[in-house]
Amino acid sequence: MKLLFAASERNLVDRWGDYFELVSEPDCPIDPDEFYLRFTRDQLALCRGTDRRGVRVDDSETRNRLRGKFALGQACGNPRAGLTVLDATAGLGTDLLSLYARGYQVSACERNPVLWALLDSYLFARGIVDIDLRLVDAVNAMADQRAAVFDVIYLDPMFPEHRKKALPGKAMQYLRDLLPAQEQHVGLLLESARQVAADRVVLKRRRRDATVGNPDWQVMGSTVRYDVYRPCA
């Protein structure tokens, strides 16, 4: 995938040069349906065709998530000193950054280079250095663990599509078109996480989705729920 930038910003985009084709913006024609990354306002955005604003990691989404009940925090437990959380499917980072803002000690995995780069650019632009973000498949990363190293492992795999007249927001439309064949196997993710979590695994689902296995308890949000599982003995 192309990563477009202004010539004066070359030193700022070199950190992603191993994963994308770095192209000076005036020299790059774009096809109408082509996805590309664009470095603008000190951050990467996922763009398509003539949409140069694109989709980026956004502070407003984090602020919205923190209003009210914050069911995710209830599912993960009290952010006491030293409690560690691994967001194994970081995506655009909204839940990860919400937990971070509430005082959790968080790390993250993301297997798609585009999503990883969008989140990495956000962290880099804001000087956030205490979130360990890795470009790696979470199942492989968890299989490599010899012992439990995270208290909580959080899973938010992309929800399966369902019949609905209204289109999802632009970010979700872009992700579904960009990653049509990369939906995580939820059962495999869950079992891998239960092998290495020290205290619990939290799985995000839509409120009416069927459960995966037998969660130990559930925390209900307004449109989603969090199924909580104890680790395997």
Side-chain angles (χ1 to χ4, degrees):
M1 180 180 289
K2 298 183 181 73
L3 192 163
L4 276 58
F5 64 96
S8 60
E9 298 169 329
R10 177 59 190 253
N11 64 316
L12 298 175
V13 300
D14 278 342
R15 64 187 287 117
W16 304 294
D18 290 341
Y19 307 98
F20 306 101
E21 178 187 356
L22 302 183
V23 183
S24 182
E25 194 160 1
D27 304 326
C28 185
I30 296 295
D31 295 331
D33 290 325
E34 181 180 357
F35 281 110
Y36 57 97
L37 290 170
R38 182 168 178 257
F39 189 74
T40 174
R41 291 179 290 161
D42 297 325
Q43 196 175 327
L44 292 177
L46 174 63
C47 303
R48 189 178 197 177
T50 58
D51 174 23
R52 295 167 60 83
R53 291 177 59 87
V55 170
R56 60 171 57 206
V57 177
D58 189 351
D59 285 329
S60 64
E61 291 298 321
T62 300
R63 292 193 296 270
N64 291 338
R65 193 64 51 87
L66 291 173
R67 293 192 181 105
K69 181 180 176 182
F70 194 48
L72 173 58
Q74 295 179 21
C76 289
N78 183 12
R80 61 187 183 275
L83 180 72
T84 57
V85 181
L86 172 66
D87 185 342
T89 52
L92 288 174
T94 302
D95 288 330
L96 170 72
L97 296 171
S98 299
L99 290 169
Y100 178 74
R102 283 292 176 93
Y104 291 85
Q105 184 177 332
V106 292
S107 301
C109 296
E110 174 50 53
R111 67 176 183 171
N112 182 271
V114 173
L115 299 182
W116 166 81
L118 291 172
L119 186 51
D120 182 63
S121 75
Y122 173 92
L123 299 178
F124 182 66
R126 283 153 184 78
I128 298 174
V129 297
D130 52 345
I131 294 179
D132 179 22
L133 173 64
R134 298 174 59 198
L135 175 58
V136 64
D137 185 286
V139 172
N140 295 336
M142 290 186 288
D144 290 340
Q145 297 292 346
R146 302 290 183 183
V149 293
F150 294 101
D151 297 306
V152 181
I153 296 181
Y154 174 56
L155 306 174
D156 178 16
M158 187 179 292
F159 294 155
E161 292 190 62
H162 61 162
R163 294 183 179 180
K164 187 177 180 181
K165 289 184 178 180
L167 288 173
K170 182 169 72 172
M172 186 56 65
Q173 289 184 54
Y174 277 20
L175 295 189
R176 290 199 185 283
D177 289 347
L178 182 67
L179 314 171
Q182 296 197 22
E183 183 178 344
Q184 298 275 15
H185 297 290
V186 179
L188 178 59
L189 265 176
L190 177 59
E191 288 309 306
S192 299
R194 293 185 67 203
Q195 296 294 329
V196 297
D199 183 66
R200 68 186 69 177
V201 176
V202 178
L203 174 64
K204 183 178 182 180
R205 296 279 81 188
R206 286 188 294 241
R207 283 183 66 110
R208 296 185 180 182
D209 284 348
T211 57
V212 181
N214 298 301
D216 291 278
W217 72 92
Q218 297 175 316
V219 177
M220 293 294 179
S222 57
T223 60
V224 301
R225 70 170 195 270
Y226 300 95
D227 295 345
V228 186
Y229 303 78
R230 288 300 187 191
C232 295

